[in-house]
Amino acid sequence: MSAQDARKIVAENVQRLLNRKGVTQTQMADDLGFKETTVSGWMTAQKYPRIDKIQKMADYFGVTRSEITEPYSDVLIKVGGIVRIPVLGKIACGEPITAVENVSEYKERPVDELPSGELFYLKAEGNSMEPVIPNGAHVLIRQQQNAENGEIVAVMSEDMEVTLKYFKKMNGTVMLIPENNEYENILVTENNPIKILGVAMEVWHPARRKTWRS
């Protein structure tokens, strides 16, 4: 695919998504804080947006990045299989995270849509991570015991409480940071230890569909 073809695909996909959402490119530019001349360059296939701009548009339209960057097809593609992903409720002390005792329900998902690894869902409660993670959203977590700065992690405290926060480590000190600045940062210490359960891969909320984070 040539660079010109790639620019045309983006322009056509963005226009289709604008039509579906019922907004103009000017309104989208205003909503996302983009320069209108920059958006015009994308829409006339003169320029190709940076990856961070593509992600912002994907979030805005409630689609994946590929629905902006890849050729559009309205043909329904049958996926290879369905997997049942546990949605965790109250965590039972001493049990493996995805033990039956901890599962409140299961969600079925096409395997072709999912990232690799062992997965589970958490239902967000409260507004400490809004607007990135709205109250009531289902967050897809990939199980792992470490994280990179800036990733949203699911962590468990000594009293078995599970929370979602941004992970930041500097000079050996770990800080858990909320999105909502009305909440305070959490400093991880020997007296306030945490266990990383995994990293957030996707946020799903009925009001805005899904947003891939990784």
Side-chain angles (χ1 to χ4, degrees):
M1 180 188 303
S2 69
Q4 180 62 26
D5 288 340
R7 292 194 294 268
K8 285 182 178 179
I9 287 170
V10 168
E12 291 171 358
N13 284 338
V14 172
Q15 186 60 61
R16 173 176 53 82
L17 293 166
L18 287 169
N19 293 342
R20 188 173 74 182
K21 192 175 179 70
V23 297
T24 65
Q25 67 183 57
T26 299
Q27 184 176 342
M28 180 187 74
D30 288 342
D31 290 344
L32 296 179
F34 296 161
K35 292 182 179 179
E36 191 170 350
T37 53
T38 299
V39 175
S40 178
W42 301 337
M43 300 306 294
T44 55
Q46 296 176 9
K47 295 181 180 180
Y48 191 89
R50 297 200 316 256
I51 188 67
D52 61 317
K53 306 300 184 185
I54 293 172
Q55 183 63 63
K56 284 187 176 182
M57 287 190 287
D59 293 347
Y60 182 69
F61 293 120
V63 300
T64 60
R65 290 199 301 263
S66 63
E67 291 181 66
I68 292 176
T69 60
E70 296 180 7
Y72 173 71
S73 173
D74 59 1
V75 178
L76 180 63
I77 301 174
K78 296 183 69 174
V79 297
I82 301 293
V83 294
R84 298 175 75 230
I85 302 174
V87 180
L88 301 194
K90 183 75 174 178
I91 307 298
C93 184
E95 296 289 345
I97 292 302
T98 53
V100 174
E101 289 83 353
N102 298 331
V103 177
S104 62
E105 60 178 303
Y106 289 88
K107 285 187 173 294
E108 294 187 345
R109 292 287 303 275
V111 67
D112 292 356
E113 292 182 357
L114 298 170
S116 60
E118 295 295 320
L119 305 170
F120 63 88
Y121 277 105
L122 286 177
K123 187 174 182 180
E125 296 181 359
N127 61 354
S128 69
M129 290 300 289
E130 288 188 342
V132 173
I133 303 178
N135 182 39
H138 282 85
V139 184
L140 184 67
I141 305 294
R142 180 168 63 197
Q143 290 189 58
Q144 55 188 73
Q145 296 180 346
N146 49 41
E148 300 291 335
N149 283 342
E151 290 183 321
I152 294 178
V153 291
V155 299
M156 184 167 62
S157 64
E158 276 195 313
D159 59 5
M160 309 302 289
E161 290 295 323
V162 177
T163 187
L164 293 158
K165 295 290 184 291
Y166 288 108
F167 179 88
K168 183 176 181 179
K169 186 174 184 179
M170 182 178 295
N171 299 325
T173 299
V174 173
M175 189 82 71
L176 302 176
I177 303 172
E179 174 72 20
N180 187 340
N181 58 18
E182 293 182 2
Y183 290 77
E184 295 184 355
N185 296 341
I186 299 172
L187 180 65
V188 178
T189 65
E190 289 185 1
N191 295 326
N192 186 33
I194 56 95
K195 176 182 179 181
I196 297 176
L197 304 180
V199 173
M201 305 299 292
E202 174 191 291
V203 177
W204 178 276
H205 192 272
R208 66 178 197 182
R209 300 182 61 196
K210 65 182 176 183
T211 300
W212 280 98
R213 297 201 53 82
S214 179

